[in-house]
């Protein structure tokens, strides 16, 4: 909810989660004292939190102190944005969820067991780079899904070949999670071999990519980014978690040999659906 995040940034003075530990160290007044929180919880006459001088109890995001502050915050947002379709409970819940995220950011910034303070920055940098890489890969998967489904949809409308209907259904069944995972960040992308996906499905996806037009009828390149060079990597995608593999796909979307090697529990979890008719490519 952008409104909540915008107002929380203004309230706490932070734009990014990873910056919050530094802000707290520079502005310790943002943190509520444990004694004040304890008194507020057990003494009806004890002063509580207020938005004029906000203080959060970061060690327990769901504490009654933070819940009270979340309610005040929600009332303020409701009054400031009457045109928005909001409710006090929803805004307060988003507020507490953000506090939980900030608490995790602070926890990451603390030295772990057998870790020196100077090693914290190295670890956090590595974790941030890994997270950024995962986001870039996910973004490219989404772009690939939109490009493939969009091209199939165009072909369905302008081509009488029923094979395009079948390939459009195939792409939609696969969704974003079923697209290839790029493993590099340069202009040329190496695509890991997804061992779970049936080779025929992969061949159809590559056919869709090859048939995507890059020039108009005059021979000029179409608007948009230049197509990426996608090289098939010799490495199989063995690091992908089973939980990341799309479930409930048609049975012929999964590689038969790969599927038979799974333990019965994983086979049941994937829960293959009835076979979907797929077109056959001519050599």
């Amino acid at each position: 909810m952008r409104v909540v995040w915008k107002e929380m940034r203004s309230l706490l003075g932070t734009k990014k989660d990873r910056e919050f530990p530094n802000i707290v160290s520079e502005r310790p007044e943002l943190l509520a004292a444990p004694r004040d929180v304890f008194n507020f919880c057990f003494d009806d006459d004890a002063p509580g939190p207020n938005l004029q001088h906000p203080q959060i109890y970061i060690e327990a995001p769901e504490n009654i102190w933070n819940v009270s502050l979340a309610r005040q915050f929600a009332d303020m947002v409701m009054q400031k944005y009457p045109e928005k379709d909001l409710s006090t409970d929803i805004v307060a819940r988003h507020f507490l969820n953000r506090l939980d995220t900030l608490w995790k950011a602070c926890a990451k910034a603390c030295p772990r067991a057998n870790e020196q303070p100077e090693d914290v920055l190295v670890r956090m940098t590595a974790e941030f780079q890994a997270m950024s890489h995962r986001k870039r890969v996910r973004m490219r998967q989404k772009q690939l899904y939109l490009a493939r489904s969009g091209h199939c949809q165009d072909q369905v409308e302008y081509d009488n070949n029923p094979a395009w209907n079948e390939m459009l259904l195939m792409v939609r069944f696969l969704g974003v999670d079923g697209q290839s995972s790029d493993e590099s960040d340069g202009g040329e992308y190496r695509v890991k071999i997804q061992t779970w996906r049936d080779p025929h499905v992969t061949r159809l996806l590559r056919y869709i990519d090859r048939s995507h037009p890059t020039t108009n009828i005059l021979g000029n390149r179409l608007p948009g980014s230049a197509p990426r060079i996608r090289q098939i990597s010799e490495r199989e995608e063995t690091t992908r978690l089973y939980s990341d593999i799309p479930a409930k796909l048609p049975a012929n979307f999964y590689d038969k040999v790969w599927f038979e090697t799974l333990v019965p529990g994983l086979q049941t979890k994937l829960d293959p659906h009835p076979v979907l008719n797929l077109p056959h490519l001519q050599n």
Side-chain angles (χ1 to χ4, degrees), residues 93-150:
R93 171 44 49 194
H94 277 276
F95 181 90
L96 294 174
N97 288 344
R98 293 303 308 159
L99 289 191
D100 183 65
T101 301
L102 295 176
W103 172 79
K104 291 177 181 177
C106 290
K108 286 183 178 180
C110 295
R112 297 176 179 176
N114 301 322
E115 186 178 52
Q116 299 299 319
E118 58 270 18
D119 297 331
V120 175
L121 181 59
V122 176
R123 171 175 54 80
M124 292 185 65
T125 301
E127 290 176 352
F128 175 72
Q129 291 174 344
M131 180 186 66
S132 299
H133 176 72
R134 289 193 297 270
K135 287 183 177 179
R136 289 194 297 273
V137 169
R138 185 65 174 175
M139 179 185 68
R140 290 197 293 267
Q141 284 182 298
K142 290 181 180 179
Q143 292 173 341
L144 190 57
Y145 169 76
L146 292 174
R148 285 171 170 170
S149 60

Side-chain angles (χ1 to χ4, degrees), residues 166-167 170 198 200-201 204 252-253 275-280:
E166 296 171 346
M167 286 190 283
M170 176 191 71
D198 186 82
H200 183 57
V201 173
L204 290 173
N252 56 331
F253 282 30
V275 170
L276 181 72
N277 187 46
L278 295 175
H280 293 280

